[in-house]
Amino acid sequence: MPEQLSAVPVPDQVSAAPLVDQVSAGPDRSTLRLALVVGGLVLAVLLGFGLGRLNATGAATGAAAGSPSLAVEHTDPPGVAPHSHGSATAADQGAAPEPGGLAISSAGLTLMPLATEFAAGRPGQLRFQVRDAQRRPVTRFAIVHDKPMHLIVVRRDLTGYQHLHPTMAADGTWSVPLTLTQAGLWRAYADFTVVADNGAQTAVTLGTDLVAPGDYRPRPLPGPVTSTTVDGFTVGYQGVPQAGTTVPLTFRVDGAGGAAPLERYLGAYGHLVALREGDLGYLHVHPETELVDGQIKFWLTTPGPGRYRLYLDFQVNTEVRTAEFTLTIP
């Protein structure tokens, strides 16, 4: 503002010396009065403009600095409402969620596997860390659906699905037994929620490639069906997913005698993972907290057209099983 005031052209229009000369010589007082009025108006306009600019700048700065990001503050209470893990920003703005797991780094966090090569069909150990922007191992994670870390592993042809739960050492290194059953390229998704020093929670899904050297023969994706069988159970779903639209999807599990006695697994009656063919974009959807007419009800929002593979985890008689479906979104 001082620079703006110094630029006001008052000295050129009404200087002190000419004013004295004009008064002593009997000047035109109307002209002098008009000049003073005009100069005052110019000064007032410029001063008001400068103050307005200053206030506007201050307000904008205050809004940017004082309004915390919704992606940092807003978190869904674990296990109390149906929701999906994708892009936090898109979810908060009410848009279709972007698939997670497409990058090894996101939200200032990086997934660092200690090794990425495994012998096909042989038991191994996957070990990794989650590091912050300063490359320090992160050690504070929220418990979401009974676990601080959900690890999904699948081959790039969408076969060999595994839902695992690593354990963390004191130095922030996670480990879990892992067997890549067949040769080929695999994708691992680390699905977790970090807790900041101020208590804010941020849900993130990071992905990394794994490899089992050998003769990779990808299997074609099965055709779309709405019913399948697994270990003697018939699993079917109802609903017509649409790109960019949230729609209900209900799953029914039947045994030999009718509806199967579903049990809670990881705090819910079912867990649904959707992977998009091609880029292997990841969605993890949680259901209603209670069964709806004996069925597991999800609210699914697919981000765009394409073919998706759905994996429904459910538990009966303490045993977890997975039903798989192919879904085509036009």
Side-chain angles (χ1 to χ4, degrees):
M1 184 170 70
E3 294 180 357
Q4 294 174 344
L5 292 178
S6 63
V8 177
V10 174
D12 292 337
Q13 297 181 11
V14 187
S15 60
L19 177 61
V20 174
D21 292 340
Q22 290 172 3
V23 172
S24 61
D28 186 344
R29 295 182 179 274
S30 298
T31 302
L32 178 59
R33 186 178 296 109
L34 178 61
L36 290 173
V37 171
V38 172
L41 288 175
V42 171
L43 178 62
V45 169
L46 292 176
L47 181 60
F49 178 77
L51 289 174
R53 287 286 302 273
L54 181 62
N55 291 337
T57 304
T61 305
S67 299
S69 169
L70 292 177
V72 174
E73 276 200 340
H74 176 71
T75 55
D76 291 309
V80 301
H83 58 284
S84 61
H85 293 186
S87 168
T89 302
D92 289 333
Q93 294 175 349
E98 287 299 318
L102 296 176
I104 201 169
S105 294
S106 180
L109 302 168
T110 301
L111 180 63
M112 301 291 293
L114 276 65
T116 58
E117 185 173 313
F118 294 78
R122 296 183 183 179
Q125 189 87 193
L126 177 63
R127 302 175 68 235
F128 62 91
Q129 290 182 337
V130 177
R131 296 183 182 176
D132 62 17
Q134 288 73 43
R135 300 185 61 81
R136 300 170 302 190
V138 178
T139 58
R140 297 187 64 193
F141 296 82
I143 303 297
V144 179
H145 286 272
D146 294 347
K147 299 291 182 179
M149 176 72 67
H150 297 265
L151 185 76
I152 304 297
V153 179
V154 67
R155 202 166 73 150
R156 293 199 69 90
D157 61 358
L158 301 178
T159 63
Y161 170 88
Q162 301 178 56
H163 185 166
L164 308 173
H165 300 104
T167 56
M168 188 187 73
D171 66 349
T173 300
W174 295 88
S175 60
V176 64
L178 175 63
T179 301
L180 301 185
T181 54
Q182 297 181 354
L185 294 174
W186 294 69
R187 189 71 174 172
Y189 304 88
D191 185 343
F192 56 89
T193 298
V194 296
V195 181
D197 291 339
N198 62 0
Q201 299 183 13
T202 304
V204 182
T205 301
L206 302 177
T208 187
D209 284 335
L210 307 175
V211 61
D215 185 12
Y216 175 41
R217 298 184 180 182
R219 299 179 184 176
L221 200 62
V225 295
T226 57
S227 180
T228 188
T229 58
V230 52
D231 293 344
F233 293 94
T234 300
V235 184
Y237 76 85
Q238 291 183 327
V240 183
Q242 303 175 33
T245 303
T246 301
V247 298
L249 212 61
T250 56
F251 288 83
R252 179 180 177 88
V253 181
D254 288 305
L262 294 170
E263 302 165 347
R264 291 188 183 273
Y265 167 58
L266 300 175
Y269 283 106
H271 294 266
L272 184 64
V273 169
L275 298 178
R276 184 168 61 187
E277 182 186 35
D279 62 0
L280 271 64
Y282 169 95
L283 294 173
H284 186 178
V285 191
H286 296 146
E288 299 280 358
T289 55
E290 301 295 336
L291 295 175
V292 178
D293 297 329
Q295 301 180 72
I296 313 168
K297 185 174 184 178
F298 298 88
W299 293 91
L300 177 65
T301 308
T302 51
R307 293 203 298 175
Y308 295 78
R309 192 66 169 164
L310 305 182
Y311 307 88
L312 173 70
D313 293 331
F314 65 95
Q315 180 172 299
V316 177
N317 297 327
T318 70
E319 184 176 347
V320 179
R321 298 169 174 86
T322 303
E324 302 184 15
F325 304 86
T326 297
L327 175 66
T328 299
I329 305 295

